[in-house]
Amino acid sequence: MRWIYAIPQKFKIACVLGSIIFCITIFTLLETRNINNINKAVLSIYEDRLIPATDLFFLAEVSYQKRDQLESYLESSDPSSILISKQLAKQNDRIEALIRKYEKTYLVDEELVHFNGLKNNLKEYLALEKEIVDLSTHNSKEAAKSAFYNRAVASHHKMMDHLSKLTRIQSNVGATLVSSLKNDVAKSDLISNLQLIVCIITGLLIIAIIFAAKVTSVKSDKYNLN
């Protein structure tokens, strides 16, 4: 500790204050960046994963309802083409709204592939749906049933396969975001601990400087007495 006595008092204070300001600035910048990363991760988990995952569930639910409605229409002894057309149109509007909402979210490359596949299969299924209703309307019920069970059901299965894969991707990407969020929280804890250590070291340095100043003052007083 003798080196403390050899350093001028003002220079010691300036060094300590400069070190404090420098450390506070660095830690503030790091903490700000870390908080921004945490905020982005939380928003992404909610807006790009949690909400879209719910939308995928509703999309699958509406798709199954449409298929069941069409099947019930074909198996009915007194089907109404006007009623089924209105029902399907209403469900199609719901699906279109969910698709538009989903495509506004952030999609990873694999997710984009299956989402495009889903949209293509949806167009195919809607065309088959219209064809089936038209066939049934024009007294070709057996042909309509054949188109439904042989082609429409297969097309619907493809849609559900894409939805299933999109759901798994949502889960995987969400897990990655949660892992990244945990890392950012750990970094924040580390920064907080470093700030505490710097405060402790700074406090010890200040105590050492004050102690050195007192010792120097005592020596000066003794010298003047002699």
Side-chain angles (χ1 to χ4, degrees):
M1 297 290 288
R2 291 183 179 179
W3 58 273
I4 294 179
Y5 303 115
I7 302 176
Q9 194 69 12
K10 290 182 179 180
F11 183 73
K12 296 175 188 175
I13 296 172
C15 286
V16 171
L17 291 177
S19 299
I20 293 172
I21 293 171
F22 176 77
C23 290
I24 289 174
T25 302
I26 295 298
F27 287 138
T28 300
L29 291 174
L30 290 174
E31 189 67 17
T32 300
R33 187 177 68 176
N34 214 45
I35 289 173
N36 288 336
N37 289 338
I38 291 173
N39 186 48
K40 288 178 182 178
V42 171
L43 285 175
S44 184
I45 290 171
Y46 178 74
E47 294 178 353
D48 297 324
R49 300 302 146 198
L50 181 60
I51 297 300
T54 305
D55 291 338
L56 289 176
F57 171 79
F58 287 130
L59 188 57
E61 184 180 45
V62 175
S63 296
Y64 276 114
Q65 286 176 357
K66 271 165 49 72
R67 194 190 73 172
D68 292 343
Q69 286 171 343
L70 186 56
E71 185 175 14
S72 296
Y73 163 75
L74 293 173
E75 297 296 339
S76 174
S77 58
D78 185 25
S80 170
S81 60
I82 295 175
L83 178 60
I84 188 63
S85 294
K86 287 182 178 180
Q87 289 175 335
L88 294 178
K90 183 179 179 180
Q91 301 289 41
N92 288 339
D93 288 341
R94 290 181 63 190
I95 289 176
E96 186 179 352
L98 289 169
I99 289 290
R100 284 201 305 267
K101 184 180 176 183
Y102 190 86
E103 64 187 356
K104 290 179 181 179
T105 62
Y106 171 73
L107 303 175
V108 298
D109 292 339
E110 186 183 2
E111 197 172 15
L112 190 59
V113 169
H114 290 292
F115 182 62
N116 288 331
L118 172 65
K119 290 195 293 184
N120 291 334
N121 278 131
L122 180 60
K123 288 179 182 178
E124 176 188 288
Y125 183 80
L126 291 177
L128 284 169
E129 198 174 66
K130 185 177 183 304
E131 178 186 339
I132 290 166
V133 174
D134 288 342
L135 285 171
S136 179
T137 303
H138 293 90
N139 298 318
S140 299
K141 196 167 185 179
E142 291 305 317
K145 285 184 178 182
S146 177
F148 175 78
Y149 289 111
N150 293 328
R151 291 189 288 155
V153 170
S155 180
H156 187 268
H157 284 163
K158 289 179 183 178
M159 283 198 305
M160 293 303 103
D161 183 57
H162 283 301
L163 280 173
S164 177
K165 288 176 179 176
L166 283 170
T167 302
R168 283 199 294 270
I169 293 170
Q170 287 284 346
S171 178
N172 293 335
V173 176
T176 301
L177 286 171
V178 170
S179 178
S180 176
L181 181 60
K182 288 181 179 180
N183 289 335
D184 288 332
V185 171
K187 288 178 185 177
S188 291
D189 290 340
L190 177 60
I191 291 171
S192 297
N193 291 332
L194 288 174
Q195 286 176 321
L196 179 61
I197 291 171
V198 169
C199 288
I200 293 172
I201 293 174
T202 302
L204 292 174
L205 285 173
I206 291 173
I207 292 171
I209 290 171
I210 293 172
F211 178 76
K214 287 183 178 180
V215 171
T216 303
S217 177
V218 170
K219 288 183 178 180
S220 178
D221 291 341
K222 286 184 178 179
Y223 176 78
N224 291 332
L225 288 173
N226 292 333

